[in-house]
Amino acid sequence: MTGTPRIVVLAGGVGGSRFVLGVRGALRARGIDDTAAALTVVVNTGDDLWLSGVRLQPDVDSITYALAGVNDSERGWGRVGDTERVNRELQEWDAGWPWFTLGDLGLGTHLARTGWLREGLTPTRVLERMSHRWPLGARLLPMTDAEVDTVVVLDDGTRMHFQEWWTRHRATLAPARFENPGIEHARPAPGVTEAIADADVVLLAPSNPVVSIGPILAVPGMRAALRDARAPIVGVSPIIGGKVVRGMADVCLTAIGVETSAAAVAAHYGARSRDGLLDAWLIAEEDAALSAEVAGRGIRSLVTPLWMTDAARSAVLAEAALGAAGL
């Protein structure tokens, strides 16, 4: 194609952050300077929460910080060089969660966000305002303006916020299911369905299929918008060699009855030709033997290196995903 492609990425978490950076890098390598006009990122807000009176949006912040170049890439979350003086003071007051660290710079973000929300701005408008601070090279949209935090329900019926299950218990408590209370009344945030309809390609980042991509797809109207899109939908496997790259996505997949394999996750998303979502699916070289299985499910399979160990490799992966869409 000629001109600037219009790309929509559905993303969340560290994998999503790295992939979005790769897409921006691939666009720049193509000589596209105004990447913000080309790249729209629909960000998971299912793991948002209220804590100590402020609204936290972990995936929003991770992707924002990554694009701004201020993220702590070693920890995988928060701002590089952050301190924790206020967090220690909160713990002295027995406030917040002692196992959930709030960095001082991060708290600045949370306070600004909360103030704007209290003033009546929607999460979409808040994220737009946040994006003005740094030249992100992308337009970020929340999946919805509704609050649809993720709740983990254990086998014994105990319910807890996803962040408690993930951060405090490190996913060691067997989940029976994941819920997003109120999501049935949510709608895609303004601009989301329009971006999908106008896109030349929609990319599913190698994010956790259950708690990062899952909530995005669960917003009423989102799957219909994707199925009706004129653009091809290309997904990138978060599983390499039968293992998750980081985090505990395998536990989440097991809870919904999906095997931890590139082929099984492809089947979970399904082929668009069979009332699913995917037109093409990128799998790692380590999983090349699964290519025929993916293809048998009606999804075009492409084998390519998936490790995003640095910015250059992330850009190469993103370029492969764009190539899979014929761009």
Side-chain angles (χ1 to χ4, degrees):
M1 66 172 294
T2 58
T4 301
R6 289 166 293 189
I7 301 165
V8 173
V9 182
L10 275 55
V14 176
S17 299
R18 291 178 178 174
F19 185 69
V20 168
L21 280 174
V23 176
R24 188 183 67 179
L27 290 172
R28 288 176 174 173
R30 290 184 174 203
I32 298 173
D33 295 323
D34 186 11
T35 56
L39 176 58
T40 298
V41 185
V42 179
V43 186
N44 170 50
T45 56
D47 58 355
D48 296 2
L49 70 155
W50 287 98
L51 186 65
S52 295
V54 295
R55 187 63 173 169
L56 278 59
Q57 293 190 301
D59 281 2
V60 165
D61 292 347
S62 290
I63 292 176
T64 299
Y65 295 158
L67 288 169
V70 299
N71 61 309
D72 189 327
S73 57
E74 291 188 9
R75 290 192 303 179
W77 57 272
R79 293 275 297 275
V80 65
D82 209 346
T83 52
E84 300 171 8
R85 185 175 181 183
V86 175
N87 189 73
R88 289 192 292 270
E89 182 66 8
L90 284 170
Q91 293 183 13
E92 289 295 328
W93 286 111
D94 196 24
W97 290 332
W99 38 265
F100 194 93
T101 302
L102 297 173
D104 296 335
L105 296 175
L107 273 165
T109 300
H110 307 325
L111 287 167
R113 173 188 296 117
T114 303
W116 292 328
L117 290 172
R118 297 294 191 198
E119 291 170 8
L121 269 66
T122 63
T124 298
R125 293 290 306 280
V126 169
L127 186 47
E128 180 184 4
R129 184 172 291 188
M130 285 175 59
S131 298
H132 291 164
R133 178 172 179 182
W134 295 288
L136 302 181
R139 179 175 65 144
L140 304 187
L141 296 173
M143 67 186 198
T144 182
D145 278 339
E147 290 187 11
V148 289
D149 304 7
T150 299
V151 172
V152 182
V153 183
L154 305 182
D155 287 334
D156 64 0
T158 300
R159 301 169 63 87
M160 65 181 65
H161 193 280
F162 168 76
Q163 291 295 344
E164 180 175 5
W165 178 78
W166 186 264
T167 308
R168 181 183 186 183
H169 298 289
R170 307 303 297 171
T172 56
L173 303 177
R177 62 186 181 276
F178 300 90
E179 297 179 353
N180 299 106
I183 200 167
E184 66 275 10
H185 303 300
R187 293 293 180 269
V192 169
T193 57
E194 294 84 353
I196 292 172
D198 292 339
D200 295 305
V201 60
V202 177
L203 303 175
L204 269 59
S207 303
N208 188 313
V210 182
V211 295
S212 290
I213 302 298
I216 300 176
L217 300 179
V219 176
M222 195 72 76
R223 284 183 176 269
L226 291 166
R227 291 195 186 103
D228 293 343
R230 63 179 179 82
I233 300 177
V234 179
V236 181
S237 173
I239 309 300
I240 299 178
K243 298 179 180 179
V244 296
V245 175
R246 66 178 293 148
M248 293 76 75
D250 50 345
V251 180
C252 300
L253 288 167
T254 299
I256 64 169
V258 176
E259 180 186 352
T260 304
S261 80
V265 175
H268 168 66
Y269 288 133
R272 189 141 65 130
S273 61
R274 302 177 184 178
D275 204 32
L277 296 175
L278 294 175
D279 295 302
W281 184 241
L282 272 59
I283 63 175
E285 296 164 308
E286 296 90 332
D287 296 310
L290 299 175
S291 185
E293 181 181 345
V294 174
R297 295 185 178 276
I299 303 167
R300 188 160 51 92
S301 175
L302 295 94
V303 178
T304 190
L306 295 191
W307 291 105
M308 295 185 291
T309 52
D310 54 39
R313 292 188 180 184
S314 297
V316 169
L317 171 58
E319 182 61 40
L322 296 178
L327 299 185

